[in-house]
Amino acid sequence: MSEPDQMGVEHNLLDKDNPFRILEDSLASFPSDHSLTSSAEFRSTSAAPGSSPSRSSFSSRSTATSSDRVTWGNICPHGVITSGFKSPPKTRVLRAGHSDYGYGSIINPRKIIQDELQSGDDAFKKGQYIEALEGYDRVLRMKPKSVTCRISRADTLVQLGRFEEALREYHVAYKLEQGNVTVHHRLSLFYLRLGVVDIAEMHMSLTSSEYKGDLSVKIEKVKGHLINSGNARRCDSWKAALREVDAVIATGADTSRSILAFRAEMLLQLNRLEQAEETFSKAIELDSKLPTLAKFLGMEPEAYVCAVHAQIEMAMGRFENAVAAADRAHRVDRFNDEISAIQTNVRLTSMARLNGNIHYREKQYSEACDQYNIGLKYARSNACLLSNLAACHWQLGNWEKCIEICDQVLQIRPGYIKALLRRAESFAKLEKWAESVRDYEAAMKVFPENAKIVEALSHAQIALRKSQGEDVSRMISGTEVKDITSAEHFQESISESGASVVYFMEPSNAECIQISPFVNSLCTSFPLVIFLKVDISQHPLIAKTENVHVLPSFIIYKNGNKVKEMICPLKHVLQSWVEYYNFSD
C-alpha cells in the first residue's frame, strides 16, 4: 500500500477511533474569537486563516498519547478520567456565615421577605409599633418597591403619632401603584383625620365599593358637624359649638390643628381655661406642615390657630405672649377683619393692664381701677384684670366689692390663689370668720407650708372660736410645744377639751432630733390642737404607763381618751392626722 493510501487509512482510523477529531475539525472552522477551547497545543497547530492544515500536523495528532488527548476536549474518552484532570472543588456554603446548607442549597429571598413582613404584622397587632416599624424597614431594604409594606409602615407611623412621615409613606405607595384601592382607602382615612374632606372624598371615589359605604358616611358627618359648629360660633352658642366640634373629632377628624384650636376656643369662651389650654397644647404638638383646609371659618388656618393662642395666653395672664401671637396671626392673614379685631383687642387690653399696674405701684388705686376697667371692656372675663381690680378695691377699703369681684375670678379660675387669699382677707376685715377660715383652709391645701397662710388661718380660727363664746386662752398660748413636767401635769393636759398630741422623745435620739422642727411647725399651723412633749429620760414612768417603747412615738388624745397612736410616722402621715383632729369636733 502506497504512502498516501497508508495515510488515508490512518486518517480514516482516526476519524473512527478518535472522538476528538470531529471536535478539532469543527473548531478549526470557527474564527478565533468564537473558539470553544483554550488549549495551547490546539492554537499552535491550527492552520493560518485561509489555508488548510498540513497532513503532517494531522499525523502528529493521530499518534498522540491518551494523556495528551485529555487537553483537546471537555469529554473524557470511554468515560475514563485520565491523569491530570481535576474536578472543580465543591462549595458547601453558598452565602456568608457559618451554617452548612448542604450541596446545592439556595436561600429563597422571597421567603425571607415574607417572614419579615409577617413578623412586622404580628408586632403591629400586639401594639408593639417600634418593633413593627423595624420589621417593615428590613423588608424595604430588600424590596423597596413593596406597596404592601409601604402601606403597613405608614399605618405604623400613624399609630406612633408621626403623621407627616406617615403621609409621605402613603404617597410613596401611591406613586408606586396609583390604582391600588388600599392606598386610596388609607389616604381617604388620613385626610379625613386632618379634616380635609375634599381630598378625602377624592380618594374615596378611587377606592373599592367595600370601603366606600363607611367612608362616605363619615365624610358626610364631618362636613355636617363642621358647618353646624361654625353657625353656632357665629351665634355665640358656645355649648352648641362645643358639642358639634366634639362630634367632628369623635367621627375621626382628630388630627387637625384648626379643629383642635376651635375646640380650645369654645372651652375658653365657657371659662374652662385649664381644659382650653390642655386642648390647645395638643393642637400645637401637631406638625404645621400637615395639609389643612384652604380656609377655616373664613380665615387662614394657621392665622386662626395663632389667634386662639393669643386669646388663651391673655386669659392666663401672659400678656406679652398674647401680643406676640396676635401679631403673628395678623402677619399670616392681614386682610381678615376678625384677625385684625383680635389683634386690636389683645393690644388694647395689654396696654390697659400695663397702665393699671403703673398706677397701682404708685398707690393711685382709683386711677388703676379705671385702667383695669378699660381693659375689661375688651376682655370681659379676664381673670388677671379682675384680680387686679379686686386688689385696688381692697386697698380702698371696699371689702364687699372686693369679695364680689373675687367671686367672679374664682368662677372663671377656681384655683386662682391670689383671689382666694384676697377674699379670705376681705372676709376677715368684715369679721366673717367662718368664710375666712374656709378660704384659708382651701389655700392651705395648695400651699401647706406657707408661713403667712398658716398664721392667717390660725388667727381666723381663734377669732371664730372666740366669736362662738369659747375659751381661747389655751389656743392663744399654744404656739409652741409644751413640756410635761410631771405625771399629774400629763393627766391634767390630756384631759382638757379638744385634741392633744403627745410627742414622746429623747433629746439624744437621732430621729427625734430630725423630726422636732417639724413638730414645732405643726404646733403653729394647727392652733386648735394642743402639742405636748414628754422626755422619757426624765419621765420613764409616763412612757411605761402609756406603753411607749420606740422613739419617736406620737399619741393623740381627745377629751382624755387615746384615739390614735403612731410610731416613727412619716411627716405627711403625722400632719394628716393632726389636721383631721384639728378640724373635727
Side-chain angles (χ1 to χ4, degrees), residues 282-555:
K282 294 178 181 177
I284 60 176
E285 285 175 1
L286 297 172
D287 198 320
S288 60
K289 296 179 182 178
L290 288 171
T292 61
L293 292 168
K295 293 287 183 179
F296 191 84
L297 301 173
M299 294 170 269
E300 291 288 338
E302 190 59 26
Y304 173 72
V305 172
C306 292
V308 174
H309 187 200
Q311 295 175 77
I312 291 176
E313 290 294 309
M314 189 168 65
M316 301 302 293
R318 300 186 286 263
F319 288 88
E320 292 78 8
N321 294 347
V323 171
D327 290 345
R328 190 162 56 250
H330 188 257
R331 286 196 300 270
V332 175
D333 196 354
R334 63 177 61 251
F335 299 111
N336 185 275
D337 293 339
E338 185 172 354
I339 294 294
S340 298
I342 290 172
Q343 183 197 32
T344 300
N345 288 348
V346 169
R347 281 186 163 275
L348 290 175
T349 304
S350 179
M351 183 61 67
R353 175 249 185 185
L354 181 61
N355 292 335
N357 289 352
I358 293 172
H359 287 300
Y360 188 90
R361 283 195 294 269
E362 294 176 356
K363 298 184 179 181
Q364 299 171 352
Y365 302 118
S366 296
E367 292 80 356
C369 282
D370 294 338
Q371 289 298 319
Y372 293 139
N373 281 320
I374 290 173
L376 288 167
K377 290 180 181 179
Y378 305 106
R380 295 188 304 273
S381 300
N382 190 280
C384 181
L385 291 178
L386 286 169
S387 178
N388 290 354
L389 184 62
C392 291
H393 283 288
W394 193 89
Q395 293 290 350
L396 293 170
N398 301 329
W399 319 119
E400 295 285 356
K401 186 64 176 178
C402 181
I403 292 171
E404 179 187 338
I405 297 173
C406 288
D407 288 341
Q408 296 179 45
V409 175
L410 293 170
Q411 285 179 357
I412 299 169
R413 294 178 64 179
Y416 201 174
I417 193 66
K418 287 185 178 181
L420 189 63
L421 290 173
R422 196 161 287 125
R423 189 173 70 176
E425 293 168 356
S426 299
F427 279 130
K429 291 292 185 180
L430 295 171
E431 297 185 357
K432 296 182 177 181
W433 301 114
E435 293 84 351
S436 181
V437 168
R438 179 198 64 200
D439 284 348
Y440 280 127
E441 288 174 353
M444 276 284 292
K445 292 179 180 179
V446 181
F447 297 105
E449 297 182 4
N450 187 289
K452 291 184 178 180
I453 298 176
V454 169
E455 184 179 358
L457 174 60
S458 174
H459 291 313
Q461 288 172 332
I462 293 172
L464 176 61
R465 294 300 179 96
K466 186 177 180 180
S467 67
Q468 293 172 345
E470 296 184 17
D471 182 13
V472 297
S473 58
R474 66 189 289 268
M475 297 172 57
I476 295 174
S477 61
T479 56
E480 60 181 17
V481 181
K482 296 179 180 179
D483 289 314
I484 295 298
T485 57
S486 64
E488 292 77 13
H489 183 207
F490 174 78
Q491 290 297 330
E492 180 183 345
S493 298
I494 65 173
S495 298
E496 293 184 13
S497 61
S500 301
V501 176
V502 181
Y503 170 34
F504 292 89
M505 50 79 67
E506 193 173 33
S508 60
N509 184 281
E511 293 188 26
C512 293
I513 294 172
Q514 185 177 7
I515 202 170
S516 290
F518 181 70
V519 176
N520 293 333
S521 68
L522 291 178
C523 181
T524 305
S525 302
F526 301 99
L528 300 183
V529 176
I530 301 299
F531 284 80
L532 308 171
K533 180 168 60 177
V534 177
D535 183 352
I536 66 168
S537 63
Q538 297 181 8
H539 306 286
L541 184 60
I542 297 176
K544 183 177 180 181
T545 303
E546 300 302 317
N547 199 27
V548 174
H549 304 287
V550 180
L551 299 179
S553 289
F554 294 85
I555 300 178

Side-chain angles (χ1 to χ4, degrees), residues 47-58:
S51 63
S52 60
S54 64
R55 184 181 293 269
S56 61
S57 64
F58 286 120

